[in-house]
Amino acid sequence: MGERSHWGWGLAERFPDRSARAALGAQVAAMLGTSELELLDPTPLADAAIPKARLEPRSGLGEVTGDREARIRHTYGRSYRDLVRGFRGDFAPAPDLVAYPRNEAEVERILDWASDARVAVIPFGGGTSVVGGVEAAIGHGFAGVVSLDLARIASVAEVDARSLAARIGAGMLGPAIETALKPHGLTLRHFPQSFEFSTLGGWIATRAGGHFATLYTHIDDLVESVRMVTPRGLFETRRLPASGAGPSPERLVLGSEGALGVITEAWVRVRPRPCFRSSVSVRFREYERAVAATRMLAQSGLHPSNARLLDAREAALNFVTGDGSHVLIVAFESADHEVGSSLDRAIEIAREHGGEPEAPVHRTESTRGSASASESWRKAFVDAPYLQNTMVSLGVIADTFETAVTWDRFETLHSNVIRAVKDAFAAMDRKGLVTCRFTHVYPDGPAPYFTYVVPGRKGRELDDWTAIKRAAGDAIAASGGTITHHHAVGRTHLPWYRTERPTLFGEALRAVKQSLDPAGILNPGCLL
Ligand SMILES: Cc1cc2nc3c(=O)[nH]c(=O)nc-3n(C[C@H](O)[C@H](O)[C@H](O)COP(=O)(O)OP(=O)(O)OC[C@H]3O[C@@H](n4cnc5c(N)ncnc54)[C@H](O)[C@@H]3O)c2cc1C
């Protein structure tokens, strides 16, 4: 793999040259009906601004470094806000040290030292947080900050083929997990869009959502047991397929966002690699009917692996269609049996709501179907984050946000959110684009995922982004949605999360934090 960009999404070599960016800029300007966009270049790594470190590496803690580049590379996640600051060469919140523990004993030593020395510790997986989860915005009262990178605790240590489970180190990246499981004919089948650069520990800490639309797509459902090192010692849960013994201990770790402990490994549920796949894309003229069809599909008991409804703008943005139709992409897969009959019933449901299906594609492991709308969609899905790097260099604000809401409230939420975001554009005196797709669907509601693109005001892009974020978050909260379906809370979503969670739950969570991390050194300001 090539070198990762020090400021943007993914590999540095994938950042287009000036002429390619200028060409894209012309297309974007035409799409948004704006004048030509100014092209800027990122600040080189050598010129990035980073504060003087407050801490020196100490012996006895394993591999700990104060290296400038390591500090820069552990400063931010990969939100729009992170990209802009990194692009400008502003690494003000850089941690003082970066630690790479090789085992739990080293994690324990670092936490012991940090608790005594009042040093904040920020667990770091792949650094793809989009909610400020790895940024050292920790307030006052700390002697410094250590970013604790789990990259050295990264192997598939055991596979239990009989129970279909594997014991995996928390720092392992998505592709490495799949590569290690493949010889066993197994897959974790957890594919968030950030799969390439995010880790098992990060997924567990943020309750990540995978690419599949129904059933086992959240990491929550795939964790069988987990080990987490806390300043008070090891928090280890038992391997069990299920248990009704009180509140679930795993559920305390899932979504803990580095604030309760350092996840070191987990037994996860794996499965045979699917070999039967069937898919179809269906066009709809009316959005309401497309939503109704998707709801019926979600409530049908068919459990498609994909049931992604793209509104017309989203479909055009991703080059799936350009004729103003809304597109529902439906797919089924199995390692055990052909799934064509499930697809047939899904097509019937779509037709009952005015859908016009393309020819279905049926594939087994050894065959490859012809290119279809669903394949265009998949390619665009994986490549999309790279576009954000280019947008930043053009002064265009391009970002996404997501929620979940019950079906009875969806239409109101959809129109309220789009209106709020457009009003925020108008307040900037700008016109932009807002699109929506469903990333996941449940019998009781969808998870709508919004994307927007708008030219920022020069030098004020971060203020503009904050205003749009606030407008969208407030509209979601007022319309009965959650502030996040799978992006987590971090620091960015904290104001809404505080009002969303039950008051007593907030108190109970603070008590848990006090019990596991009495010195309050773990990721201060994140989640709590
Ligand atoms: C382009 C893009 C696409 C994305 N797509 C998706 C998506 O499809 N689905 C989705 O759910 N999310 C998505 N995300 C968000 C992000 O990738 C997820 O939140 C992911 O789970 C973070 O994993 P990570 O290893 O990068 O964790 P990091 O970003 O390093 O950390 C995230 C949080 O978890 C904590 N943490 C990390 N590792 C540990 C550990 N071992 N122990 C304790 N705490 C830890 C950190 O302190 C931080 O609070 C996307 C992000 C980007 C930039």
Side-chain angles (χ1 to χ4, degrees):
M1 211 203 294
E3 184 169 82
R4 281 185 69 175
S5 166
H6 71 278
W7 65 271
W9 172 253
L11 303 179
E13 70 202 26
R14 300 262 326 248
F15 187 56
D17 62 22
R18 283 198 128 240
S19 65
R21 282 186 285 136
L24 189 71
Q27 277 181 26
V28 173
M31 183 179 80
L32 297 175
T34 185
S35 53
E36 209 171 294
L37 297 160
E38 188 187 349
L39 193 58
L40 301 169
D41 292 314
T43 307
L45 185 60
D47 299 336
I50 180 168
K52 194 172 173 312
R54 292 161 291 180
L55 302 168
E56 290 283 325
R58 301 167 45 99
S59 60
L61 297 179
E63 186 183 342
V64 180
T65 176
D67 173 67
R68 176 180 176 279
E69 183 172 336
R71 291 175 59 210
I72 286 175
R73 289 186 180 276
H74 289 80
T75 304
Y76 294 129
R78 285 296 176 264
S79 68
Y80 170 80
R81 191 164 165 258
D82 299 334
L83 264 55
V84 170
R85 289 178 293 170
F87 185 88
R88 292 176 180 167
D90 166 9
F91 289 88
D96 301 284
L97 297 173
V98 180
Y100 299 93
R102 283 166 304 183
N103 49 47
E104 286 177 350
E106 289 186 356
V107 175
E108 269 168 35
R109 284 211 290 279
I110 291 165
L111 295 186
D112 282 351
W113 162 72
S115 295
D116 290 345
R118 196 127 188 87
V119 168
V121 176
I122 303 188
F124 190 99
T128 64
S129 168
V130 284
V131 291
V134 294
E135 177 175 338
I138 55 164
H140 299 291
F142 294 93
V145 183
V146 175
S147 176
L148 191 146
D149 188 325
L150 276 295
R152 307 278 191 270
I153 304 182
S155 65
V156 172
E158 254 177 285
V159 174
D160 173 353
R162 178 175 292 211
S163 314
L164 288 181
R167 182 160 70 88
I168 302 181
M172 208 161 182
L173 294 166
I177 293 175
E178 289 301 323
T179 304
L181 292 175
K182 196 171 181 181
H184 302 272
L186 297 171
T187 173
L188 177 58
R189 198 179 171 273
H190 180 71
F191 301 116
Q193 193 179 27
S194 54
F195 170 76
E196 235 180 313
F197 301 105
S198 55
T199 62
L200 175 65
W203 299 338
I204 295 173
T206 60
R207 298 182 63 196
H211 158 267
F212 297 106
T214 69
L215 288 184
Y216 307 107
T217 185
H218 286 273
I219 198 71
D220 308 35
D221 301 318
L222 304 177
V223 173
E224 185 181 76
S225 74
V226 64
R227 284 170 76 94
M228 178 171 82
V229 177
T230 80
R232 290 281 308 285
L234 185 65
F235 184 109
E236 182 186 12
T237 72
R238 289 182 58 197
R239 279 193 67 198
L240 290 167
S243 168
S248 155
E250 289 82 28
R251 295 268 159 181
L252 198 61
V253 178
L254 283 155
S256 56
E257 301 199 27
L260 302 181
V262 178
I263 299 157
T264 49
E265 67 171 40
W267 274 96
V268 288
R269 302 186 173 106
V270 294
R271 66 184 73 193
R273 300 171 75 80
C275 48
F276 299 101
R277 292 190 173 87
S278 292
S279 63
V280 71
S281 52
V282 187
R283 294 178 189 219
F284 291 86
R285 290 275 135 214
E286 291 166 50
Y287 189 57
E288 292 71 21
R289 297 198 78 190
V291 171
T294 312
R295 176 167 62 81
M296 293 316 290
L297 187 58
Q299 295 173 344
S300 66
L302 288 169
H303 305 306
S305 57
N306 205 347
R308 214 167 273 259
L309 176 60
L310 318 181
D311 74 7
R313 289 194 182 91
E314 176 86 17
L317 196 65
N318 288 284
F319 307 107
V320 174
T321 59
D323 63 357
S325 55
H326 313 282
V327 179
L328 174 61
I329 296 170
V330 186
F332 292 88
E333 61 175 48
S334 170
D336 179 69
H337 51 267
E338 291 191 355
V339 285
S341 59
S342 297
L343 191 75
D344 290 345
R345 176 61 196 133
I347 291 173
E348 270 174 28
I349 292 174
R351 281 213 168 99
E352 284 159 16
H353 292 83
E356 297 161 27
E358 284 183 2
V361 178
H362 302 283
R363 293 187 297 182
T364 54
E365 187 79 319
S366 55
T367 63
R368 287 279 171 265
S370 58
S372 64
S374 60
E375 278 163 357
S376 320
W377 155 255
R378 192 184 292 267
K379 182 166 172 13
F381 178 71
V382 172
D383 286 347
Y386 279 105
L387 273 178
Q388 202 181 23
N389 297 349
T390 301
M391 294 298 166
V392 167
S393 80
L394 291 164
V396 172
I397 308 174
D399 203 7
T400 62
F401 58 90
E402 32 76 68
T403 181
V405 70
T406 46
W407 289 110
D408 61 320
R409 293 168 168 183
F410 168 68
E411 274 171 36
T412 309
L413 178 137
H414 183 252
S415 54
N416 286 352
V417 168
I418 290 193
R419 191 175 340 108
V421 172
K422 287 196 166 164
D423 285 352
F425 294 167
M428 295 157 52
D429 202 17
R430 292 285 188 273
K431 282 205 176 98
L433 184 69
V434 198
T435 72
C436 180
R437 68 176 189 249
F438 292 165
T439 56
H440 303 76
V441 290
Y442 305 91
D444 49 345
Y449 184 97
F450 296 88
T451 299
Y452 69 86
V453 187
V454 64
R457 289 177 294 179
K458 194 167 168 28
R460 295 167 70 181
E461 291 86 354
L462 290 182
D463 293 338
D464 289 343
W465 175 86
T466 304
I468 299 166
K469 182 80 192 165
R470 193 176 307 128
D474 288 350
I476 284 173
S479 311
T482 172
I483 193 58
T484 178
H485 170 263
H486 58 264
H487 279 169
V489 175
R491 293 175 170 80
T492 309
H493 288 153
L494 198 52
W496 293 280
Y497 175 60
R498 280 205 186 103
T499 58
E500 179 174 328
R501 72 184 174 204
T503 308
L504 284 180
F505 184 76
E507 284 180 24
L509 204 54
R510 272 192 293 278
V512 170
K513 166 91 174 163
Q514 174 64 29
S515 164
L516 299 180
D517 176 24
I521 53 150
L522 277 166
N523 217 352
C526 184
L527 187 66
L528 283 155

